[in-house]
Amino acid sequence: MAPEAELRNRFLLKGKEAAAALTEPETTKSRICKTHELEGHEVAIEGIIYDITSFYHPGGDSIRIFGGNDVTVQYKMIHPFHSSKQLEKMKKLGIVEDYKTDYQFGTPFEREIKKEVYKIVPKGNDYGTWGYFIRATFYILLLAVCEFIWVRDGSSVPLAIVLGISQAFIGLNVQHDGNHGAASKKPWVNDFLGFGADFIGGSKWLWMEQHWTHHAYTNHHMMDPDSFSAEPMLLFNDYPLGHPARKWYHSFQAFFFLPALSFYWLSSVFNAQILDLKHRGAEFTGMKLENDFISSRKKYAIAIRAFYIYMNVISPFQHHGPFTAIFHFMLMGVSESLVLSTLFSLSHNFEGSNRDPTTDFRVTGEPVCWFKSQVETSSTYGSHMSGWLTGGLNFQIEHHLFPRMSSAWYPYIAPKVREICEKHGVQYAYYPWIHQNLISTFAYIHQAGIGSNWELDPLSGN
């Protein structure tokens, strides 16, 4: 029997090679299929099909949201120290004959960065600290007080701004760690905090469908739903000149970048995706979102969204006329949108960011280092102070390298991450101040809009 470790870095896994990873009794009962034929209770990891319902997952049932898909990258990014021994806990069902991957794991860069980081934060101790939970509790109480006043006493302009910002803080500081499974070893704690997404106008399950896919394939030209989420209004992808996604108005997108982002809340709250619980961006990348787990959560997602709309959108009409009420809840939405979406847009859209990390794979056929691609598609700005306000998401490089580590630890590991990146020649984008990252983001948005990176320089010989 060939060890599964030998399959780790292969970019194409043939049926007969994957079959060798199954024991003899299992081989006789295994089936061979293509990835798109996986059923809702199945996942594929490195070409092997597993029954995801065949064991108790210590992280909770949320992993079942990805049933029916190849989750090789998602599995490895969440379980940095797992091996075939952990996978043996799941029942093997067969193989997928069309398995391929753009990424490789186990590179020298990956091994060193994990070794050194976990000297600072030992395995098993990388969950939320007391400081994190104090901060999360403060933001939860702030939101609760603002919502209580909003419903009982009525909305106002100052309250609309504060309520919007408090919802943004929940998105940054509370639900993010929860839905990454990073806040606590206890799944119910992560689930409780993760529902913060629903109480700021989003959805825990839609967020996971989109965000975990984004993490696995950051800035991938076809697989990262965040890279095209604002189209056709905005271009985050730097498409070649003449690409059909390019429109004449993108030449001016740096000027309407922030106004466009201000509609993020509105597009989320009144999005019909809540009805079937299928994130269209994740579906576009090829993710199948047809399984019993998703179907069973629809009624809860719809009920919570209806409650949210009553609390935040309908209640102002009980205290004010229609124009004032609309103005107040729209101001609240704009305040939340500008805080959340502006900070998120800094993370992967800046001058020098790697907008196509798998180019080498398409040219040479050799998978690229996933850890290296995460660093070179992300940026870090500020330090502890920014981390307290953004939930540690200013340390976006560290977050993408260790997405299941609590954000409370990122300031401590950042210096070592920078040191190892420099040693291995990996580009690490760091901005001491947030405004520097913001300026770089505006510059990139303008360059992507006009396609300046694709223009020929007649003096260069190119």
Side-chain angles (χ1 to χ4, degrees):
M1 164 174 144
E4 290 178 13
E6 291 181 7
L7 304 176
R8 179 172 57 199
N9 297 330
R10 296 187 181 180
F11 71 93
L12 183 61
L13 193 64
K14 301 296 185 182
K16 61 182 181 180
E17 294 171 327
L22 300 173
T23 63
E24 283 302 317
E26 289 172 322
T27 302
T28 60
K29 296 182 289 186
S30 68
R31 66 188 181 90
I32 299 176
C33 71
K34 296 188 181 297
T35 302
H36 72 271
E37 296 172 335
L38 291 170
E39 298 179 7
H41 67 284
E42 300 172 337
V43 294
I45 300 174
E46 294 186 317
I48 310 298
I49 303 172
Y50 297 93
D51 183 350
I52 201 172
T53 65
S54 64
F55 82 119
Y56 170 75
H57 189 274
D61 288 341
S62 292
I63 61 164
R64 293 171 57 196
I65 201 169
F66 295 108
N69 294 281
D70 183 304
V71 295
T72 302
V73 179
Q74 289 90 333
Y75 173 80
K76 288 182 173 292
M77 77 178 188
I78 295 297
H79 307 93
F81 290 99
H82 274 202
S83 65
S84 59
K85 181 177 295 187
Q86 281 76 23
L87 290 173
E88 289 172 359
K89 297 176 182 178
M90 290 190 290
K91 180 181 179 181
K92 297 177 184 177
L93 302 177
I95 60 172
V96 290
E97 59 182 350
D98 59 343
Y99 168 66
K100 60 180 180 180
T101 179
D102 298 7
Y103 299 103
Q104 64 172 312
F105 292 85
T107 64
F109 174 63
E110 173 190 342
R111 291 197 299 269
E112 181 170 359
I113 206 163
K114 289 194 298 188
K115 175 184 175 183
E116 295 301 323
V117 163
Y118 280 96
K119 287 180 181 177
I120 301 171
V121 187
K123 289 181 289 183
N125 294 333
D126 49 355
Y127 294 99
T129 62
W130 280 108
Y132 165 77
F133 282 103
I134 290 172
R135 174 160 43 94
T137 300
F138 170 78
Y139 288 127
I140 291 171
L141 291 175
L142 175 63
L143 175 63
V145 170
C146 289
E147 289 281 11
F148 178 76
I149 298 173
W150 181 271
V151 174
R152 189 194 68 174
D153 298 336
S155 57
S156 65
V157 169
L159 183 58
I161 296 173
V162 175
L163 177 58
I165 295 174
S166 70
Q167 291 193 16
F169 282 152
I170 293 292
L172 295 168
N173 292 272
V174 179
Q175 71 86 22
H176 195 273
D177 274 55
N179 284 325
H180 270 286
S184 173
K185 292 182 180 179
K186 300 177 181 178
W188 71 266
V189 175
N190 291 321
D191 281 339
F192 173 77
L193 297 177
F195 277 111
D198 296 78
F199 287 91
I200 65 173
S203 165
K204 168 185 173 65
W205 297 294
L206 287 172
W207 187 92
M208 290 183 68
E209 293 170 0
Q210 172 266 330
H211 194 71
W212 279 40
T213 307
H214 155 69
H215 262 271
Y217 302 101
T218 311
N219 281 7
H220 191 292
H221 71 297
M222 290 294 291
M223 295 295 292
D224 181 0
D226 280 13
S227 68
F228 48 80
S229 61
E231 295 178 14
M233 181 61 69
L234 294 171
L235 291 184
F236 288 129
N237 277 328
D238 190 5
Y239 293 113
L241 297 175
H243 191 280
R246 288 192 173 277
K247 309 299 180 186
W248 64 268
Y249 53 82
H250 290 139
S251 297
F252 308 98
Q253 67 176 8
F255 296 100
F256 59 81
F257 176 54
L258 290 182
L261 294 184
S262 69
F263 287 95
Y264 170 78
W265 174 87
L266 191 67
S267 67
S268 176
V269 172
F270 298 101
N271 197 315
Q273 293 176 161
I274 195 69
L275 300 177
D276 60 12
L277 220 55
K278 298 177 184 178
H279 191 279
R280 298 299 182 268
E283 276 195 316
F284 181 82
T285 68
M287 294 292 294
K288 287 172 58 180
L289 302 174
E290 294 276 359
N291 58 59
D292 292 341
F293 179 84
I294 293 175
S295 297
S296 68
R297 266 54 183 179
K298 292 177 186 177
K299 56 181 178 290
Y300 303 113
I302 294 171
I304 299 173
R305 178 61 57 83
F307 178 72
Y308 177 86
I309 290 175
Y310 169 75
M311 292 279 290
N312 293 274
V313 177
I314 296 178
S315 66
F317 288 93
Q318 299 173 335
H319 300 275
H320 306 287
F323 292 106
T324 300
I326 292 172
F327 175 71
H328 284 173
F329 77 69
M330 283 298 297
L331 179 61
M332 181 269 290
V334 168
S335 300
E336 176 185 340
S337 298
L338 288 177
V339 175
L340 270 181
S341 55
T342 302
L343 292 178
F344 282 144
S345 67
L346 301 180
S347 304
H348 309 291
N349 306 286
F350 53 91
E351 291 180 293
S353 62
N354 189 343
R355 297 302 311 183
D356 192 3
T358 58
T359 301
D360 290 345
F361 168 73
R362 297 199 303 277
V363 173
T364 67
E366 291 295 323
V368 300
C369 173
W370 183 83
F371 271 68
K372 179 176 182 289
S373 73
Q374 295 302 301
V375 175
E376 296 187 339
T377 56
S378 308
S379 66
T380 286
Y381 63 84
S383 59
H384 289 75
M385 185 70 72
S386 297
W388 296 335
L389 296 174
T390 67
L393 296 185
N394 57 308
F395 296 97
Q396 196 67 199
I397 291 174
E398 290 70 25
H399 174 55
H400 270 254
L401 289 173
F402 302 97
R404 226 196 77 191
M405 177 183 288
S406 171
S407 58
W409 293 107
Y410 296 148
Y412 300 97
I413 69 171
K416 179 58 67 174
V417 169
R418 285 199 290 271
E419 175 187 323
I420 297 172
C421 286
E422 183 177 1
K423 175 181 176 181
H424 286 263
V426 176
Q427 176 183 304
Y428 183 106
Y430 173 66
Y431 300 91
W433 300 95
I434 185 174
H435 73 273
Q436 297 169 322
N437 200 161
L438 184 62
I439 291 171
S440 183
T441 294
F442 268 93
Y444 169 76
I445 291 297
H446 177 62
Q447 293 163 8
I450 65 176
S452 62
N453 293 325
W454 295 91
E455 294 178 354
L456 298 179
D457 182 354
L459 301 180
S460 69
N462 295 324

